[in-house]
Every structure is written in structure tokens, then in C-alpha cells.
Amino acid sequence: MDRVNNTEIEIIELDDRLDMTIDPLTTMLGILADDEYCHNSQCCKAN
Amino acid sequence: MDSSESQPNQPACCEDAKDAEQHYVRSRFTAHTSTADGNLVLYNSLTGHNCALRGSAGERVRPYLSKSGVSGKLDELGEYLLKKGYIVKSTTNEDAKWDLAYALQQYRPDVLQLTLLASEECNFRCIYCSQRFKRGSMRPEVRAGVKQLISKRVKKLTSLGVSWFGGEPLLGFDAIEDVAPYAKALASEHDVYFSSNMSTNGYLLTPDKSRKLVRWGVASFQITLDGTPSEHDARRPLKDGGPSFQKIMENVTAMKAFEEKFEVCLRVNFDHSNVHKLQPIFDDYQQRFGDDHRFRLRFRPVVLMGSDHDDQIPICQLREGIQHVMDLTDKVHAMGMATENLTEKWLSPLSSVCYAARPYHLVIGADGKVMKCTVVLDNDERNVVGNIGPDGEMNIQFDRLAAWVRPYYHHDAQCGKCFYLPVCQGVICAAPRVLSGQRPCPSQQQYIQRALAYAFTEKTRLGEHNLVRIQVPSPGAADTQAAAAEPLAAR
């Protein structure tokens, strides 16, 4: 690409934990191990 | 995956021809919003990726997000958006891709998560609690059964989770003492990932007990303190009506002396009656725990769950509830205290799925009933999916179990099309699905624009972000032809 005619823009990455360049499905499975905690604000583990 | 689907043995000229014909569209899992100061925030719920572009840079993304998409060879920005999942080839079947991901993370014979009701009795009578306190401590034969179950399953597990719950679990400390160290040792022996947590009111969590629990691998505690001592004691009194705040605070504060790794989530349940009176307790927390980030705050609006006092609780509506959660979190962050990670909770794939919707998660009651939901318990027989014997064998009624763990989004067209599907999977709470056929929707899905704007503000403020610099063609020199550029409308 001809850099003379290019402009640089900046992307602010806020969350890039899942490296999709590897394998999205394996990566999703990887985060399951820490998913044992209840995150549901609408259940009794809430109140 | 999309960015690696090309055939490596194809001649370069064929590849170029293919590129010229390729059409790309916005992923059905992509959401975006513009903040008040003109920044564009992007989010994809399947990849969990979340990024932002300031001012005019955001305008460069506009063609990619249009309904008609873009055609031709992608520039560097297009390649980035493709790699992170914001756009996909028009030929990609994203529903099929999601179905596969769902199946892989839902049907996991190598995972076992148990919620153990060490005691179904409680020493508190909180005004918003719906439990009926039918039984005391977990019976010895049930403890034996749980240990046998773990022993039989552990060789095939990669992950074992034990949550202690009740009633008040510490009323059943003898059961915990029996099972917790056993489970931890067995997991360690078989090199199985082990995690354990406890939801306790904290009144009986004396330093002697908390030290033992941490040693047994109970690394996360959720303890509720509903504001100032007087507010808390009115909302969370002892069974005999006595105060509870002081004792809990003493117990929690004592844990600061521990050197071990653990986390205490100090939970504040709020409604209209206490949400504006929390500053004194924040000042107290700051003095006690401000420099120790093992202690984190968590805010939740009270929800009505069928207590005897439901008609007297001035609950916050959904929209104001989520706003209060964000405002309170901001407030304590500004004071230097730690909180739960809201953006992770709201925006990570899988992060808002009810434990009852998982086939590998079981609740085991003090009398050996095997259940799914810790709200319903055995108040509805549909929640009692079986029982466990002293030999660890479970007699499971599979028709009942199946009702809790089915992919509900397959049978709910609106849910199946929702951009937020990978995060909540249509079951942020499984009970309405099973018991009344209603669709539960997470508040953050309904207010995704606020959630994304919050993620941007919070992460940039805390410096929790990376900068990526990308070359794009100067205006008028673009290789990629936008088929159509529509006004950038937030979902």
C-alpha cells in the first residue's frame, strides 16, 4: 500500500482477551474454567 | 475462521480475483454506539472484542457497519475488523458458527460444578429473602454421597467447582469440614482445576473458620452489608431480630491479616430506601480495606423473589437500577477501592448464563435432593431433578433435568436473533424459562448503549486499554468500495 496516500488512525482496544487469531472456539472453552461463579443479578445468590 | 479461509495453494492471481469479488457484512453479533463526546464504541458478543475510535476515525468504520456492507479487497482497517469479528464474509453462516460454540461450551462431561447446601437453616431473616428454611445441616449420608460422587468423577474431570450456599452455609460447618478439604485434595491429586466459593452472611465467619476455609481452597466469599449499621440491621436482622452488622464487620476486617490469596466480595443490595445513604459506609470501607484489593465491592438492585415483605420493598426499576450500579461503582473507584469488573460481567461471552442452565451444575440439598435452581429449591417439584445416595450414585429424572439445560434460544426466534446471545444464551435466569415459559433478558442487554459507553469511559480512565495504529487510505484513495454508507445509528 502506498503510504504517501495513507492516513493513520488509532483504535483503542478495550478488551482483546480472546485471541481470535488462534481459534475462537478453543478460546471460549478456555474461559469456561473460571465461569463457576454466579454472575446472575436476578437470582438468590444475588440477594 | 473467516480470516484464514483462503486456500494456501491457490495462485496469487486467483486470490486477487477472489478478493475483488468478496463481499463483507456486519456480524450479527456486533453492536455499536456513539458516546456523548463523539467517540464510536464497537463490541462483538461472540469474540468479546471491544474497542473505540475517537472522532473522525470512527467515521472510517461507518461503511463496514452499514446494512449493505462493503465489497472488494479490504484495507488494513477492514482486515482488523474482520479479524476481531466485527465484520464477516457475506457467505459466513454465523448462526451455525454460534451453534457449534454453544454445544462445545454447554455439554462438558469434563466439568463438574456443585452448589452444596451445607445448611438450609439460616440465622438471619433478611427482609427480601424468599427462602423457607426447611432443613438444618447436610446429613452425614449426603456428605458421604457427595464425596463418593467427586471421587468417582474426578478422573474424568478437568475442572471441579464447589460453591457453598444455604440457608447460611456456616451453620453447617461440620459438613463443610467433612467435604471441602476432601474435594480440594482429590482435585489436587488428579491435577484437576479446583475453585471454591461461599455465599455467607458473614456472622459466623470467625477468623478461625475463615482461615480454615481459605486453606481448604474456598478462595472467594460473597458477604452482604446493606449500608450503614442501622440500615443494614433493619434489612438483615438476626433470626431473633438482633443486629448483625458489627459482628460481620469484625469478622471481615480480621481477614485482612491473612497472607493467603482470597477475595471477599462485599455486596451492597440497594433499593430506593438506601441507595442514597451509602456514603458513610464507603468512607468506612475505604479506611478498612481501601489499600487491600482482595476486598471488592459489588452493587445489586434488590429484586422481588417472593419474600413475605415484597410489597414493602421500594425496588428500583431496571433502567435506574443499572444506572445506580454504574454510578456507585464510579464513586468507589474514585475513592481508590476495588469493585467487581462490570464490563467483564456485561460484555464477556458466557458471562451472564445461569448456573442452573448448565448440565454440569447441580445443587445438592441438605437431605440429598439434587436440584438446579437455588431460588426455587424444592418449592416446585420441577426443580428437583433427582437425589444422591451415600454411594455417590445419583438417581436423575432426565426429563426434569433436560427442561433446565435445553438451548432455549432455538425455540425463541427473538432470542435466537439477538446480538447478545453468546453472553446470556437466553438464560440469564433459567427459572422463568422452565416454570412459566417467559424470556428473561439481562438489563445490560436492554441498555447496551450505556454499558458500552461505560466500558469506554471506565477502561480509558483506568488505563486498561491498548492502542493500535492502523493505516487507512487517505480520503479519495480508498481501495474498498462501500456498497452504501448509512447513517451510523446505535442499536
Side-chain angles (χ1 to χ4, degrees):
Chain A
M1 195 175 281
D2 182 2
R3 301 230 165 226
V4 176
N5 292 323
N6 282 352
T7 305
E8 187 174 82
I9 62 169
E10 206 171 62
I11 296 177
I12 305 160
E13 286 193 327
L14 304 169
D15 195 338
D16 191 27
R17 284 174 305 130
L18 305 188
D19 186 350
M20 300 300 288
T21 58
I22 303 172
D23 173 357
L25 303 178
T26 308
T27 315
M28 283 184 80
L29 294 180
I31 61 173
L32 180 65
D34 290 321
D35 191 44
E36 84 291 344
Y37 204 83
C38 175
H39 295 281
N40 183 0
S41 62
Q42 291 165 317
C43 88
C44 83
K45 289 193 175 184
N47 282 355
Chain B
M1 79 187 267
D2 294 322
S3 55
S4 61
E5 282 173 4
S6 58
Q7 300 298 312
N9 296 327
Q10 292 277 1
C13 59
C14 296
E15 285 295 301
D16 289 346
K18 273 187 179 179
D19 284 346
E21 293 165 8
Q22 191 61 58
H23 188 65
Y24 301 90
V25 293
R26 184 177 72 187
S27 162
R28 82 170 200 76
F29 298 112
T30 293
H32 55 88
T33 193
S34 294
T35 63
D37 45 358
N39 303 305
L40 174 67
V41 187
L42 294 173
Y43 166 60
N44 185 277
S45 66
L46 182 60
T47 65
H49 202 270
N50 183 204
C51 70
L53 297 96
R54 292 189 194 277
S56 60
E59 294 302 305
R60 304 302 296 257
V61 180
R62 178 183 297 194
Y64 296 99
L65 301 178
S66 67
K67 270 187 187 167
S68 43
V70 298
S71 294
K73 185 174 170 54
L74 294 174
D75 61 12
E76 201 175 337
L77 176 59
E79 290 288 354
Y80 178 87
L81 296 171
L82 179 66
K83 183 177 170 185
K84 302 302 181 186
Y86 295 112
I87 60 172
V88 294
K89 288 179 180 175
S90 58
T91 50
T92 300
N93 184 337
E94 287 202 283
D95 289 331
K97 212 167 141 182
W98 161 244
D99 280 346
L100 175 58
Y102 173 83
L104 286 170
Q105 51 89 61
Q106 174 76 346
Y107 306 112
R108 296 289 303 268
D110 62 320
V111 176
L112 178 62
Q113 293 178 359
L114 300 173
T115 291
L116 303 177
L117 307 185
S119 167
E120 295 189 36
E121 175 56 288
C122 188
N123 51 341
F124 279 29
R125 287 296 180 268
C126 305
I127 56 167
Y128 39 61
C129 185
S130 61
Q131 289 203 16
R132 295 290 178 257
F133 317 114
K134 290 180 177 174
R135 282 167 287 274
S137 297
M138 183 175 271
R139 292 180 190 161
E141 66 270 24
V142 179
R143 302 176 209 167
V146 170
K147 288 162 72 177
Q148 283 296 314
L149 169 67
I150 295 171
S151 174
K152 288 177 179 176
R153 291 284 310 278
V154 72
K155 289 175 191 166
K156 294 181 180 174
L157 296 181
T158 59
S159 175
L160 172 64
V162 176
S163 297
W164 293 101
F165 195 64
E168 167 49 42
L170 292 175
L171 284 173
F173 194 75
D174 49 350
I176 299 169
E177 195 161 27
D178 192 2
V179 176
Y182 179 85
K184 185 192 176 198
L186 214 52
S188 174
E189 187 184 325
H190 291 272
D191 200 22
V192 170
Y193 175 86
F194 180 70
S195 64
S196 185
N197 59 65
M198 175 179 285
S199 297
T200 169
N201 60 40
Y203 192 83
L204 300 171
L205 192 65
T206 57
D208 174 53
K209 287 197 173 74
S210 52
R211 196 178 288 279
K212 280 183 179 170
L213 289 165
V214 170
R215 208 174 295 149
W216 298 336
V218 183
S220 178
F221 299 84
Q222 177 172 267
I223 298 169
T224 300
L225 285 163
D226 277 355
T228 58
S230 59
E231 286 286 337
H232 172 92
D233 290 339
R235 298 157 69 87
R236 299 178 65 83
L238 292 172
K239 194 175 174 181
D240 64 6
S244 63
F245 182 94
Q246 193 58 39
K247 183 69 180 165
I248 300 168
M249 192 55 105
E250 285 171 16
N251 287 339
V252 175
T253 307
M255 293 179 74
K256 268 198 81 172
F258 296 179
E259 290 180 358
E260 290 90 344
K261 192 179 172 188
F262 65 89
E263 179 188 85
V264 173
C265 219
L266 293 163
R267 183 184 175 108
V268 179
N269 295 324
F270 65 83
D271 56 34
H272 284 300
S273 70
N274 69 337
V275 71
H276 297 298
K277 301 177 187 171
L278 297 171
Q279 189 59 48
I281 196 68
F282 294 160
D283 294 337
D284 188 10
Y285 285 165
Q286 188 184 33
Q287 282 207 327
R288 290 173 190 266
F289 311 118
D291 60 340
D292 189 339
H293 285 195
R294 291 177 300 180
F295 299 84
R296 294 176 171 269
L297 281 157
R298 168 180 291 171
F299 302 102
R300 290 286 184 280
V302 171
V303 290
L304 302 181
M305 297 188 304
S307 81
D308 293 337
H309 307 281
D310 272 7
D311 57 342
Q312 299 158 35
I313 302 173
I315 60 165
C316 297
Q317 295 307 310
L318 205 59
R319 190 182 178 87
E320 61 180 338
I322 196 169
Q323 189 63 51
H324 281 313
V325 170
M326 290 188 281
D327 291 346
L328 292 168
T329 302
D330 281 347
K331 184 177 279 191
V332 298
H333 277 175
M335 295 171 72
M337 288 183 281
T339 67
E340 71 171 333
N341 189 332
L342 276 186
T343 53
E344 190 174 308
K345 173 182 160 49
W346 287 341
L347 301 180
S348 293
L350 326 179
S351 66
S352 296
V353 178
C354 178
Y355 52 86
R358 298 302 197 189
Y360 48 76
H361 185 280
L362 299 169
V363 179
I364 298 184
D367 61 350
K369 284 195 177 91
V370 177
M371 297 171 278
K372 292 299 290 174
C373 169
T374 58
V375 177
V376 180
L377 294 174
D378 59 353
N379 298 315
D380 187 314
E381 65 178 16
R382 288 173 287 183
N383 190 41
V384 182
V385 299
N387 57 67
I388 186 168
D391 58 357
E393 292 298 318
M394 289 189 292
N395 177 22
I396 296 291
Q397 296 188 48
F398 282 101
D399 55 336
R400 288 190 186 175
L401 176 65
W404 287 91
V405 303
R406 63 191 297 203
Y408 275 96
Y409 71 91
H410 273 176
H411 312 280
D412 179 340
Q414 188 175 328
C415 186
K417 289 177 188 167
C418 177
F419 78 96
Y420 201 64
L421 184 59
V423 182
C424 76
Q425 303 178 12
V427 278
I428 186 170
C429 181
R433 290 285 196 191
V434 176
L435 304 181
S436 56
Q438 293 175 316
R439 176 194 308 130
C441 279
S443 50
Q444 62 271 22
Q445 179 269 346
Q446 294 172 59
Y447 300 108
I448 190 66
Q449 290 168 274
R450 284 175 185 225
L452 292 181
Y454 177 83
F456 172 70
T457 307
E458 194 62 7
K459 294 216 169 183
T460 50
R461 186 176 72 79
L462 296 171
E464 294 176 355
H465 61 276
N466 298 317
L467 290 179
V468 176
R469 291 186 173 81
I470 279 183
Q471 299 286 327
V472 295
S474 299
D479 291 329
T480 300
Q481 299 300 313
E486 297 178 352
L488 191 59
R491 296 177 69 126

